[in-house]
Amino acid sequence: MVRTTISYKDGHIYEFSPDIDPIYTAEDGESLTFETIDSLNKEIQSDDDLLDSIPEEVNAATGPVAVEGAEPGDVLKVEIEDVRVNEAQGRVVTAPGFGLLQDNDEIQHPFTRITPVDESTETIEYDGIDVPIEPVIGTIGVATESETISTLTPHDHGGNLDTTDMTGGTTAYFPVFQEGGLLAMGDSKAAMADGEMCGTGSEIGTDIDVTVSVIDDPETSIERPLIRTPDAWKTIASAETLEDAVALANEDLIDLLAAEHGMTPTEAYTFSSLVGGLEISQVVDPLVTVRNACPAEYLSVPF
Amino acid sequence: MVRTTISYKDGHIYEFSPDIDPIYTAEDGESLTFETIDSLNKEIQSDDDLLDSIPEEVNAATGPVAVEGAEPGDVLKVEIEDVRVNEAQGRVVTAPGFGLLQDNDEIQHPFTRITPVDESTETIEYDGIDVPIEPVIGTIGVATESETISTLTPHDHGGNLDTTDMTGGTTAYFPVFQEGGLLAMGDSKAAMADGEMCGTGSEIGTDIDVTVSVIDDPETSIERPLIRTPDAWKTIASAETLEDAVALANEDLIDLLAAEHGMTPTEAYTFSSLVGGLEISQVVDPLVTVRNACPAEYLSVPF
């Protein structure tokens, strides 16, 4: 199978908006490779390269790619087949005014630590400690309904979701707000903790294999991203506070459970309190992001 | 091995305070079984038994048990060997003014759903859906330093942590604030989602096998509960907001990583942003509870 590669060199965005211009139009069902640059645009190459502030242009997202036939109200299905690091080192950094513990006097801001890749062991190294490479696509999303949103910010269109499940083996579903959907992605990490506490994982360039397709006139409409990992369905919600985000993610899961099982909202709510549950994606971006996981045996494909 | 059983019928508390009286004194290293009653004191036995408000006396915690030799500044180690449900049904409920979606008009408050136990399949049933029994000790803790804290509330002494990892195979460590430590536990669930969104799991009585021992004059002092699951070390923190709780849980993990690896706080912080990460225990109690997980290969026993 010939797989077209879409590189950040071909085009990338720093904002998701309603009117981003596609750099490529994919057929419904086409398999592509997205080549991404690290979130800091290759500017951090040694421990001495410090980030005095978050750059205005950060999290370059390769794309956007239009998908033929995608219309507002549809769902864009993105099967993530593989994510491979494509450079010899990642970097984890702090920056002033950024990160969970940005006001903690014991923590240095800025600070950089280069994490070299060992291809033979599929690990990165943090000061002699080997950490398995478990790549994450930090930013992935589609053209927005009306707002212009920095690639540093997550919202209902996706964007900077910083969700560890966004990796090979997961299928992501996005609401389509604009014709073609207009998919873009970048800001990958070689490894990232749930929470992304210091504000970054091991930021690194990647090659991402995906297959994109359109779910036309879906039975279930979604307002926010939804993912199917190998084990679970997970709703994803971003909001100003974790409290607001978990309520949204729970409401979205209740809708899915109610539709699947013919439950009332109250039944779906109490059932959701028994299995899977709330997870943290990131607590450091302009909006924070959480998920609500439901083991796959309790939900089938809702479309 | 003879294992003494401590039953809620022998004694139970509804508040953790500095001066709770032990109903039993265990030897350092003694193995015990705690028999617990469901959090709602057997008052909810059918779908028609509704909870119009949270009772004043809720989450009866069996105990407290003093452990010989435990002195303030020590660490109480509680190896949880097994948690077995000891009644034929659990119950998941909502109540007015309680739960994540308490202000959502589509959700009924109060509402009760009985979840019968099937011993042969080790499942509970929610309206024809079988859910594996994965028991959770909802409330577990020790006498407090100075405050009197309801068993409905989690804090640095433990209490209503509602943490799914608090189950067989996990070892929990608590700071000792009072002579004997004074361990009590109850509020078990046959199953519970991370988050415990509706305010309960499947509330049920249990028999809990534990071995209690004292870590005298520990190398590492802890201010809050810490657990070792089969896979990970997890700090646990409770606070008024999820934002405050995740910061505490991250700071506690940074202390452990820094001590283990000789890292600076900044190094431990950035390393913590690469592996494991933040998890949600519960979002519904008077204080909310989170954990910060670090895979076991990166931390050894800190005491």
Side-chain angles (χ1 to χ4, degrees):
Chain A
M1 183 178 63
V2 177
R3 192 185 271 273
T4 298
T5 293
I6 312 294
S7 171
Y8 65 91
K9 296 169 197 158
D10 302 323
H12 55 269
I13 54 173
Y14 293 105
E15 292 174 339
F16 288 93
S17 71
D19 55 2
I20 42 179
D21 287 324
I23 59 170
Y24 181 80
T25 297
E27 291 175 27
D28 185 359
E30 185 170 342
S31 295
L32 302 168
T33 298
F34 283 71
E35 182 187 2
T36 71
I37 190 172
D38 78 273
S39 61
L40 298 166
N41 282 334
K42 296 187 186 286
E43 289 183 8
I44 306 291
Q45 297 296 348
S46 86
D47 289 355
D48 297 328
D49 294 336
L50 299 173
L51 205 61
D52 291 322
S53 64
I54 300 298
E56 198 165 318
E57 296 197 324
V58 70
N59 291 0
T62 299
V65 167
V67 182
E68 275 181 9
E71 298 290 340
D74 292 344
V75 169
L76 184 66
K77 178 181 179 183
V78 182
E79 294 168 84
I80 307 169
E81 286 131 3
D82 195 26
V83 184
R84 297 175 298 279
V85 303
N86 67 14
E87 59 173 317
Q89 60 183 26
R91 63 284 293 158
V92 54
V93 308
T94 68
F98 190 57
L100 178 62
L101 303 183
Q102 59 186 264
D103 298 324
N104 182 319
D105 292 339
E106 290 195 334
I107 309 281
Q108 289 171 264
H109 299 87
F111 172 86
T112 293
R113 181 58 43 91
I114 296 297
T115 54
V117 169
D118 184 332
E119 285 187 28
S120 64
T121 56
E122 296 183 4
T123 56
I124 54 169
E125 186 210 318
Y126 186 111
D127 273 353
I129 305 175
D130 292 331
V131 173
I133 293 177
E134 294 179 352
V136 178
I137 308 169
T139 296
I140 179 168
V142 295
T144 61
E145 187 164 15
S146 59
E147 290 176 282
T148 294
I149 299 178
S150 159
T151 51
L152 190 64
T153 300
H155 206 256
D156 297 349
H157 68 295
N160 195 13
L161 299 170
D162 285 326
T163 291
T164 51
D165 291 305
M166 209 62 88
T167 191
T170 288
T171 298
Y173 299 86
F174 298 92
V176 174
F177 297 112
Q178 304 298 335
E179 194 180 320
L182 300 166
L183 177 69
M185 65 190 79
D187 178 33
S188 294
K189 297 97 175 42
M192 190 192 93
D194 277 325
E196 203 191 23
M197 289 77 100
C198 82
T200 69
S202 168
E203 308 294 304
I204 201 160
T206 53
D207 295 329
I208 304 168
D209 293 343
V210 299
T211 296
V212 292
S213 50
V214 178
I215 298 168
D216 193 33
D217 195 17
E219 271 183 65
T220 305
S221 66
I222 56 173
E223 293 177 53
R224 277 172 284 276
L226 171 69
I227 58 175
R228 173 67 155 86
T229 72
D231 302 323
W233 286 93
K234 302 189 183 188
T235 58
I236 301 180
S238 303
E240 290 202 359
T241 66
L242 287 165
E243 283 72 7
D244 288 345
V246 296
L248 284 174
N250 194 202
E251 286 167 347
D252 286 350
L253 183 61
I254 288 168
D255 288 346
L256 294 174
L257 285 167
E260 168 103 10
H261 297 288
M263 291 174 169
T264 66
T266 307
E267 290 170 333
Y269 177 48
T270 48
F271 183 78
S272 81
S273 197
L274 299 183
V275 298
L278 300 173
E279 300 175 347
I280 289 177
S281 288
Q282 57 79 21
V283 297
V284 294
D285 295 328
L287 300 179
V288 296
T289 303
V290 305
R291 350 186 247 283
N292 192 355
C294 180
E297 57 263 42
Y298 304 116
L299 279 178
S300 51
V301 180
F303 308 110
Chain B
M1 182 178 63
V2 177
R3 192 186 270 274
T4 299
T5 293
I6 313 294
S7 172
Y8 65 91
K9 297 169 197 158
D10 302 323
H12 55 268
I13 55 173
Y14 293 103
E15 291 173 340
F16 288 93
S17 71
D19 55 3
I20 42 179
D21 287 325
I23 59 170
Y24 181 79
T25 297
E27 290 175 29
D28 185 358
E30 187 169 340
S31 294
L32 301 167
T33 298
F34 283 71
E35 182 186 5
T36 71
I37 190 173
D38 79 273
S39 62
L40 299 166
N41 282 333
K42 295 185 188 287
E43 288 182 7
I44 306 290
Q45 297 297 348
S46 87
D47 289 356
D48 296 329
D49 294 335
L50 298 173
L51 204 62
D52 292 321
S53 64
I54 299 301
E56 198 165 318
E57 295 196 327
V58 70
N59 291 359
T62 299
V65 167
V67 182
E68 275 180 9
E71 299 288 341
D74 292 345
V75 169
L76 185 64
K77 178 181 180 182
V78 182
E79 293 168 85
I80 307 170
E81 285 130 5
D82 195 24
V83 184
R84 297 176 297 280
V85 303
N86 67 15
E87 59 173 316
Q89 59 182 30
R91 63 286 292 161
V92 54
V93 308
T94 68
F98 190 57
L100 177 63
L101 302 183
Q102 59 187 262
D103 298 323
N104 183 319
D105 293 338
E106 291 195 333
I107 309 280
Q108 289 171 263
H109 299 87
F111 172 86
T112 293
R113 181 57 45 91
I114 297 296
T115 54
V117 170
D118 185 332
E119 286 187 29
S120 65
T121 55
E122 297 183 4
T123 56
I124 53 170
E125 186 210 318
Y126 186 112
D127 273 354
I129 305 175
D130 293 331
V131 173
I133 293 177
E134 294 177 352
V136 178
I137 308 169
T139 296
I140 181 168
V142 296
T144 61
E145 187 164 14
S146 59
E147 289 176 282
T148 295
I149 299 178
S150 160
T151 50
L152 191 64
T153 301
H155 205 255
D156 296 350
H157 69 295
N160 195 14
L161 299 171
D162 284 327
T163 291
T164 51
D165 292 305
M166 209 63 87
T167 192
T170 289
T171 298
Y173 299 86
F174 298 92
V176 174
F177 296 113
Q178 304 297 336
E179 194 180 320
L182 300 165
L183 178 69
M185 65 189 79
D187 178 33
S188 294
K189 298 97 175 42
M192 191 193 92
D194 277 324
E196 202 190 24
M197 290 76 102
C198 81
T200 70
S202 169
E203 307 294 303
I204 202 160
T206 53
D207 294 328
I208 303 167
D209 294 342
V210 299
T211 296
V212 292
S213 50
V214 178
I215 297 169
D216 193 32
D217 195 17
E219 271 181 65
T220 305
S221 66
I222 56 173
E223 292 177 53
R224 278 172 284 276
L226 171 70
I227 57 175
R228 172 65 155 88
T229 72
D231 302 322
W233 286 93
K234 301 189 184 188
T235 58
I236 301 180
S238 303
E240 290 202 359
T241 66
L242 287 165
E243 283 71 7
D244 288 345
V246 296
L248 284 174
N250 194 203
E251 287 167 348
D252 287 350
L253 182 62
I254 287 169
D255 288 346
L256 294 175
L257 285 167
E260 168 103 10
H261 297 288
M263 289 174 171
T264 65
T266 307
E267 289 170 334
Y269 177 48
T270 47
F271 183 78
S272 81
S273 197
L274 299 184
V275 298
L278 300 173
E279 299 175 348
I280 288 177
S281 288
Q282 57 79 23
V283 297
V284 294
D285 296 327
L287 300 179
V288 296
T289 304
V290 305
R291 355 186 242 282
N292 192 353
C294 180
E297 58 264 42
Y298 304 116
L299 278 177
S300 50
V301 180
F303 307 111

